[in-house]
Amino acid sequence: GDEALRAIGLEPIVLEIARQSSAVNQDVLSNPKVHVRIGDAREVLLTTSQRYDLIASEPSNPFRAGIASLFTREYYQAASDRLTDDGLFLQWLQAYGVDASAVRTVYATMGSVFPSVETWQTRGGDIVLVGAKRAPVYDVARIAARIGLVNTMVFTHLPSNVLLMLVPLMPNLSLAIAVFLLRFSISQMDVPTRQAYTMAVVAPDGR
């Protein structure tokens, strides 16, 4: 079909790293549907007439110099203007190393542009804010078939609970910490699935 992915970034070194990581990134740069451009993605949004089904923004931490323009109402409005009616804007945001007021500001700013803003946890303290012109509707059956609803919601809990019970039985502190960290590494695997299921079957006022 007409599916294509356009990646725009300022740092050429990222392309070299991507090439060196071809074994683990499915050799993405060789995919004919992937088009890479070195430049300012914000400027592209402000000047292009093309519309997108999905726009993903993953700048550095909000407190770093020069990053603030990627968390402004003007930037979000530019992204919204370039989305299709059912398009989604994804904003990566770290929830650690920043104060609560900064996170609230990002939420409020996105909310001033997008009528629908959802929060999805990826891993650890990383979250993705999903902005849309209207609330997305999720196909639970399709999600389950794609990422394995039962596998991730049940089978990850069984070993993680066993590992948690083993922590106090470890003969020394080092082993206890190792087992606990192992348990933590798999205990969050079902979070995206549970969030998707909740968003799909629970009304907004009941979440």
Side-chain angles (χ1 to χ4, degrees):
D2 296 329
E3 293 182 356
L5 186 149
R6 174 185 289 187
I8 306 171
L10 290 172
E11 292 293 342
I13 190 63
V14 173
L15 297 182
E16 181 57 33
I17 295 174
R19 294 188 184 96
Q20 295 178 10
S21 305
S22 60
V24 295
N25 65 17
Q26 301 182 42
D27 196 15
V28 63
L29 294 183
S30 297
N31 189 321
K33 293 185 177 182
V34 175
H35 307 280
V36 180
R37 173 179 171 182
I38 299 300
D40 188 335
R42 179 173 175 271
E43 293 300 320
V44 171
L45 287 177
L46 291 170
T47 57
T48 186
S49 60
Q50 189 167 353
R51 287 162 67 85
Y52 301 92
D53 296 314
L54 183 70
I55 298 175
S57 179
E58 189 176 355
S60 186
N61 306 325
F63 53 80
R64 295 183 66 89
I67 302 299
S69 62
L70 299 180
F71 292 92
T72 61
R73 190 183 191 282
E74 291 74 17
Y75 174 64
Y76 294 140
Q77 187 62 61
S80 177
D81 291 342
R82 301 275 62 82
L83 284 176
T84 59
D85 291 340
D86 293 319
L88 301 177
F89 175 78
L90 309 184
Q91 171 71 73
W92 172 86
L93 180 66
Q94 68 172 65
Y96 55 91
V98 293
D99 56 32
S101 62
V103 176
R104 285 197 298 268
T105 298
V106 175
Y107 271 102
T109 307
M110 277 194 66
S112 70
V113 173
F114 295 101
S116 172
V117 178
E118 297 179 353
T119 304
W120 288 66
Q121 180 182 358
T122 55
R123 62 177 63 186
D126 292 335
I127 59 177
V128 174
L129 307 185
V130 181
K133 298 177 182 180
R134 51 193 176 205
V137 177
Y138 299 100
D139 186 334
V140 177
R142 186 177 180 183
I143 293 173
R146 183 67 181 269
I147 61 180
L149 190 63
V150 174
N151 289 340
T152 56
M153 291 184 68
V154 177
F155 294 146
T156 57
H157 273 280
L158 293 177
S160 67
N161 288 338
V162 171
L163 289 171
L164 184 61
M165 290 187 291
L166 289 176
V167 171
L169 302 179
M170 291 297 100
N172 56 61
L173 180 60
S174 297
L175 282 176
I177 293 175
V179 171
F180 180 78
L181 292 177
L182 177 61
R183 183 263 177 185
F184 179 78
S185 69
I186 64 174
S187 65
Q188 302 298 310
M189 289 176 63
D190 69 329
V191 170
T193 309
R194 288 190 286 107
Q195 289 179 331
Y197 184 81
T198 301
M199 298 300 294
V201 302
V202 182
D205 58 355
R207 296 172 190 163

